[in-house]
Amino acid sequence: MAMRARQSQRRRQTLSRESIIEAAVELLDAAGESGLTVRALTERLATGSGAIYWHVGTRGELLDAATDTVIAAALATDPAQAPDTPQDEIRVVALGLFDAIAEHQWLATQLAIQLTRTPWEPVTLGIFESIGRQIRALGVPRGNWFTATSALVQYILGATIQNAQIGPNAPLVAPDVDRAEFLDAASIAWQELDPDKYPFMRAIADQMRQHNDREQFLAGIDLVLTGITNLHPPTGQAHIAE
Amino acid sequence: MAMRARQSQRRRQTLSRESIIEAAVELLDAAGESGLTVRALTERLATGSGAIYWHVGTRGELLDAATDTVIAAALATDPAQAPDTPQDEIRVVALGLFDAIAEHQWLATQLAIQLTRTPWEPVTLGIFESIGRQIRALGVPRGNWFTATSALVQYILGATIQNAQIGPNAPLVAPDVDRAEFLDAASIAWQELDPDKYPFMRAIADQMRQHNDREQFLAGIDLVLTGITNLHPPTGQAHIAE
DNA sequence: ACCTGAACACCGTTCAAGT
DNA sequence: ACCTGAACACCGTTCAAGT
C-alpha cells in the first residue's frame, strides 16, 4: 500500500546523473554492451534523449561512468574487515575485481578499453593505487615498486578479463552449475582437437575441467608475488642484454 | 608498364575472402574499430555490401577474421631463427603479440573480447598452445601445466593490452618519440594527483616516466617464470584453505 | 556462383521549443 | 535549469534482381 502511495505521489522520482547510471548498469547487466541504447534508457526512465545528454553526456561517457561506478564499488574495501597482511589485502582487492567482472560481464571489455587509454583516468588509477600500496607494505625495495605493481596489476587484469566467461549476471550465491557445464564443453572441445596442431591443449584438457576459477586465480597471484619477492634489487637499468 | 597492363586487364582483381580481410585490417589500422564500416569497405573495394556478406558474413565475423589473421601472423615464429631455450621462445612469442598490438591498436579490445568468449576459438587456442609447449619444455611438472600456462598467458595478455597506448599504427622503425611525450604527460599527471588519495602513484611517477615498455614487459615475464619455477608440486587439489 | 544496391530497421546526437 | 521529442545522418543487414 505504501508502494502505491509512493508510486502515485510522483510519476517518477526526479532524474539525476546517479539514477541514469544505475539504469544503465541494469541494462548492461541484462543485455550486454549492445543492450545499452539511448532509446532503451529513455524508455526505462520515461524521459527524452535530451535528458540523458543533459545529465551525463554521450553514450560513451555514460559507459565510462558506469564502469567507474562499478569498479569504485568493487575497490572499496570493507573497513570492518581486519587489515591482515599485505598479501591478504591484495587477494581481497583482486577478488573484488574478479567478482565484479563475473557479476557484470560487460566490464571485461570496458576495462580493457579503459586500460588502453590514458593512465590517469580514475579506473586505472584506482586499481594501481590499491595494489601499489600493498606492494609497498610488502617491503619491496623502492626501485622495484613500479615493476612489481605493473606486473601484478597486469596479471590481475588479464586473469580477470579471461574469467568473465560465465555469461551475463552469473549467480553469486548458487554454486557453479552452469560453470561446470561450460568447463565440460570446453574440455571435450580441447580433447577433440587435431593432435598434431594442439598436443598441449589436449594434454591439459583434463586439468582445465577440474580447475576452480577462484583458486586458480589466487594461485596465479601467489605465483606473481613469489616472482616479486625474488626480483633482483634495482641496479640502474643495465643488464637487459640481447 | 606491366602494372598498367595488369590494372586495365581487369577493372579490379576478383573479390575474395582474403582481399576483404586485408582491406578490413587497413581500415582498422587507419581509424580504429569504428573505422571499419560496411560502407567504407564497399567503397574501398568498389563493390556492394552483399558481396561482403557473401564472402565473410557479418561485420562481427569480419572483425573476428581480421583478429585471427593478425594474431596467427604474430604467432608464426620465424623458422630461420635458432630454437634457443624455452625461455627465449616464450619471449619471442610474447614480444610477437606485444608488437602486433602496438602496430594494430584495435587488437587490444578485440583480443579481450575473444578471450571472454569460448576457449576453443582459434585465437585463444593458438596463444595457449604456443606458450604451453614451452612450459612443458621448461620441465614444469605435468600437474602444474595448466596453472603455469594460464598464469603466464594471462600476464602476457594483460600487459600486452595495457601497452597498446601508443595510438594507431605506432612507428615500427622510428624510436619512441611520441611515446616519450606520452610518458612525460602521464608522469606529470601522476605527480599532480591529490597526495591524500594517491600517495603511491605520486611516488612512482618518476619510475614510470623512465621505464621502457619492452624491457618492463620482459621483466614481468621473467618474474612470472620465477614464480612458475617455484610452484609447489601438485599434491591433489587440497591445501587452499581459508 | 557471385555480385548489385535499394530498402529497412535501428542507431547516437542535436537542437528548437517548451516549462 | 531542466527536459521533450522530432529530425538528421549514419549504421548493419537483407534480399529481389541481375549476370
Side-chain angles (χ1 to χ4, degrees):
Chain A
M1 45 181 178
M3 270 181 55
R4 199 158 69 87
R6 196 173 304 163
Q7 247 181 10
S8 56
Q9 180 183 343
R10 280 226 193 170
R11 212 191 79 248
R12 156 187 17 107
Q13 50 248 48
T14 57
L15 212 53
S16 69
R17 184 182 154 86
E18 287 68 33
S19 62
I20 293 174
I21 293 174
E22 190 184 352
V25 170
E26 288 169 14
L27 283 176
L28 289 165
D29 287 347
E33 207 235 85
S34 64
L36 175 63
T37 68
V38 177
R39 276 166 179 82
L41 203 56
T42 57
E43 192 177 359
R44 173 181 275 255
L45 294 169
T47 182
S49 60
I52 309 295
Y53 287 80
W54 172 263
H55 283 289
V56 299
T58 67
R59 193 192 100 109
E61 289 169 318
L62 176 54
L63 218 33
D64 285 349
T67 304
D68 288 356
T69 302
V70 176
I71 293 289
L75 246 38
T77 319
D78 183 359
Q81 198 165 317
D84 301 24
T85 64
Q87 282 94 338
D88 280 335
E89 278 284 342
I90 287 172
R91 293 188 191 103
V92 168
V93 171
L95 282 178
L97 287 172
F98 189 89
D99 292 340
I101 292 209
E103 208 183 340
H104 312 281
Q105 211 193 349
W106 52 273
L107 261 184
T109 310
Q110 222 46 37
L111 247 186
I113 290 174
Q114 292 249 20
L115 271 190
T116 59
R117 291 214 291 252
T118 58
W120 50 80
E121 291 183 37
V123 168
T124 311
L125 227 44
I127 296 174
F128 254 84
E129 178 74 25
S130 298
I131 297 295
R133 287 187 191 183
Q134 306 311 321
I135 290 294
R136 190 181 51 190
L138 227 42
V140 170
R142 194 189 163 94
N144 285 339
W145 283 358
F146 180 68
T147 299
T149 304
S150 293
L152 185 51
V153 167
Q154 285 162 354
Y155 167 74
I156 289 174
L157 292 170
T160 254
I161 287 173
Q162 210 208 337
N163 270 288
Q165 283 162 345
I166 318 189
N169 260 340
L172 279 181
V173 191
D176 352 39
V177 186
D178 302 87
R179 186 61 180 168
E181 289 173 20
F182 179 86
L183 291 180
D184 274 349
S187 178
I188 289 170
W190 284 11
Q191 262 152 1
E192 288 170 349
L193 288 170
D194 180 346
D196 290 333
K197 285 182 67 181
Y198 298 105
F200 184 80
M201 297 311 278
R202 287 168 56 100
I204 61 170
D206 229 58
Q207 283 179 47
M208 113 85 133
R209 178 159 43 91
Q210 289 168 356
H211 93 280
N212 173 285
D213 292 334
R214 290 169 59 110
E215 284 179 11
Q216 191 75 24
F217 180 52
L218 290 175
I221 287 179
D222 284 349
L223 188 157
V224 174
L225 285 176
T226 301
I228 287 174
T229 306
N230 289 27
L231 262 178
H232 36 70
T235 65
Q237 63 256 52
H239 119 86
I240 310 236
E242 181 172 351
Chain B
M1 46 177 178
M3 272 180 54
R4 197 160 70 87
R6 198 173 302 163
Q7 247 182 10
S8 56
Q9 179 182 346
R10 283 224 192 174
R11 211 190 82 247
R12 151 183 28 100
Q13 49 245 49
T14 57
L15 212 54
S16 69
R17 186 181 154 86
E18 286 69 33
S19 63
I20 293 175
I21 293 174
E22 190 185 351
V25 170
E26 288 170 13
L27 283 176
L28 288 164
D29 287 347
E33 206 234 86
S34 65
L36 175 63
T37 68
V38 176
R39 277 168 178 80
L41 203 53
T42 56
E43 192 177 359
R44 173 181 275 255
L45 294 169
T47 183
S49 60
I52 310 294
Y53 286 81
W54 171 263
H55 284 288
V56 299
T58 67
R59 193 193 100 108
E61 289 169 317
L62 176 54
L63 218 33
D64 285 349
T67 304
D68 289 356
T69 302
V70 176
I71 293 290
L75 247 38
T77 320
D78 184 358
Q81 198 162 317
D84 299 26
T85 65
Q87 284 93 338
D88 279 335
E89 278 284 342
I90 287 171
R91 293 189 190 104
V92 168
V93 172
L95 282 178
L97 287 172
F98 190 89
D99 292 339
I101 293 208
E103 206 182 341
H104 311 282
Q105 212 194 349
W106 50 275
L107 262 185
T109 311
Q110 220 47 37
L111 246 187
I113 291 175
Q114 292 251 17
L115 271 191
T116 60
R117 291 215 291 252
T118 58
W120 50 82
E121 289 183 38
V123 168
T124 312
L125 228 42
I127 296 174
F128 255 84
E129 178 75 26
S130 297
I131 297 295
R133 289 186 189 182
Q134 306 310 321
I135 291 294
R136 191 180 52 190
L138 226 43
V140 171
R142 194 189 164 92
N144 285 339
W145 283 359
F146 180 67
T147 299
T149 304
S150 294
L152 185 51
V153 166
Q154 286 162 353
Y155 166 73
I156 289 174
L157 291 169
T160 255
I161 288 173
Q162 210 208 339
N163 270 288
Q165 285 162 344
I166 319 188
N169 261 339
L172 280 180
V173 191
D176 352 39
V177 186
D178 301 85
R179 186 62 181 167
E181 289 173 20
F182 179 86
L183 291 180
D184 274 350
S187 178
I188 289 170
W190 285 9
Q191 260 152 3
E192 287 170 350
L193 289 170
D194 180 346
D196 290 332
K197 285 182 66 180
Y198 299 105
F200 184 79
M201 297 310 278
R202 287 168 53 100
I204 61 170
D206 229 58
Q207 285 179 46
M208 112 86 135
R209 179 160 42 90
Q210 289 167 356
H211 93 280
N212 172 285
D213 292 333
R214 291 169 60 111
E215 283 178 13
Q216 191 74 24
F217 180 52
L218 290 174
I221 288 180
D222 284 349
L223 189 157
V224 174
L225 286 176
T226 300
I228 287 175
T229 305
N230 288 28
L231 262 178
H232 37 70
T235 65
Q237 64 256 53
H239 118 87
I240 311 240
E242 183 172 350

